[in-house]
Amino acid sequence: MALVPVITIDGPSGSGKGTISQRLAAELGYHLLDSGALYRILGCVVRQQGLDLNEHEKLARVATDLDIQFGERGPGSVTVNGEDFSELIRQEVAGEMASLVGAIPAVRKALFERQLAFRQAPGLVADGRDMGTVVFPDAVLKIFLTASVEERAKRRYNQLIAKGIGAILPDLLRELKERDARDTQRAVSPLKPAGDAHILDTTSMSIDEVVARVLSLATESKD
Ligand code: C5P
């Protein structure tokens, strides 16, 4: 298992991790782990079932027992205990709930094992907050994507508007700042670059430029 190469893509919300990771996995023919989706799924289940965020051990058990299937009903689909969660987990509220459950150590521990299972030949691109620091510290290549919070809010705004979902830029900016603060200040697995990560500021880079840069680093890392 240790021989299966992993490329980790970490960074704050809206840094472009999702899009870059998908493109990279497709280019390299690797599997993809969208670890944020796991936290979002749990956040949605907590909300749906009205579970108490203070009952950490119960939440951890729920996280362990959920039947989660990615791509079972087509590319990008997410099925949880037989129910289609594909749209639900992409809502803003799911991101907020994810950030709350993600601050609970017992939940992170429960999701840790699930994440390791994604490491399958010929390789894995893992997208998240602590992929290079905690989950795959032996990754062959670690990337930390950043962008100014204003640029990230603008990207999120454009994404929502393109999907026909109403959005207010100042609200998105405030929510992103709150989420950044919670993700970077939490006691367990805070968002921070691994010591050996390549930090890429994508504020004024296009998606193609970022993908090309990471691919060239991936080629270098093989030499
Ligand atoms: O990446 P995404 O926006 O889907 O993540 C949603 C939330 O899930 C993040 O704000 C973060 O709090 C949490 N998360 C995490 N660790 C990860 C991935 C996501 O804590 N590896």
Side-chain angles (χ1 to χ4, degrees):
M1 182 157 143
L3 292 177
V4 175
V6 180
I7 297 178
T8 57
I9 313 280
D10 289 305
S13 305
S15 56
K17 285 175 294 126
T19 311
I20 303 299
S21 301
Q22 276 171 21
R23 287 269 306 266
L24 215 56
E27 293 270 356
L28 296 166
Y30 280 11
H31 298 279
L32 177 66
L33 165 62
D34 171 4
S35 62
L38 296 174
Y39 289 91
R40 284 170 180 268
I41 289 167
L42 185 63
C44 290
V45 170
V46 166
R47 196 156 174 266
Q48 259 185 354
Q49 299 185 5
L51 301 177
D52 185 345
L53 279 171
N54 294 311
E55 290 197 39
H56 295 181
E57 292 308 321
K58 174 159 187 199
L59 296 183
R61 269 199 309 280
V62 172
T64 306
D65 293 344
L66 286 173
D67 173 19
I68 301 173
Q69 304 293 336
F70 290 105
E72 194 187 52
R73 301 190 186 170
S77 74
V78 180
T79 318
V80 180
N81 293 343
E83 196 184 326
D84 187 2
F85 265 48
S86 321
E87 298 282 323
L88 200 62
I89 63 160
R90 294 298 153 211
Q91 293 175 1
E92 288 303 299
V93 64
E96 285 300 310
M97 289 301 295
S99 173
L100 292 173
V101 297
I104 301 171
V107 163
R108 301 202 75 85
K109 200 161 154 246
L111 291 180
F112 180 78
E113 295 288 329
R114 294 194 92 119
Q115 296 176 70
L116 295 185
F118 282 78
R119 190 172 195 166
Q120 305 270 349
L124 175 69
V125 175
D127 154 0
R129 300 290 188 293
D130 60 344
M131 298 295 99
T133 49
V134 176
V135 184
F136 301 109
D138 63 343
V140 290
L141 176 64
K142 299 179 185 180
I143 305 289
F144 191 88
L145 295 182
T146 61
S148 71
V149 69
E150 290 78 15
E151 171 66 19
R152 291 187 281 121
K154 211 164 70 193
R155 288 179 189 169
R156 186 75 193 125
Y157 176 83
N158 290 337
Q159 263 177 4
L160 290 170
I161 297 298
K163 279 198 233 160
I165 301 171
I168 300 166
L169 190 55
D171 286 357
L172 289 176
L173 186 61
R174 183 176 38 76
E175 284 161 16
L176 262 187
K177 284 182 179 167
E178 284 170 10
R179 179 117 58 101
D180 281 358
R182 196 156 52 221
D183 289 351
T184 50
Q185 287 161 20
R186 68 179 171 223
V188 57
S189 301
L191 170 67
K192 64 162 196 238
D196 49 353
H198 296 263
I199 300 178
L200 285 187
D201 185 338
T202 70
T203 306
S204 29
M205 287 173 89
S206 70
I207 291 168
D208 285 345
E209 283 170 335
V210 181
V211 172
R213 177 86 186 105
V214 179
L215 280 174
S216 101
L217 287 169
T219 310
E220 280 172 32
S221 75
K222 280 188 190 148
D223 298 338

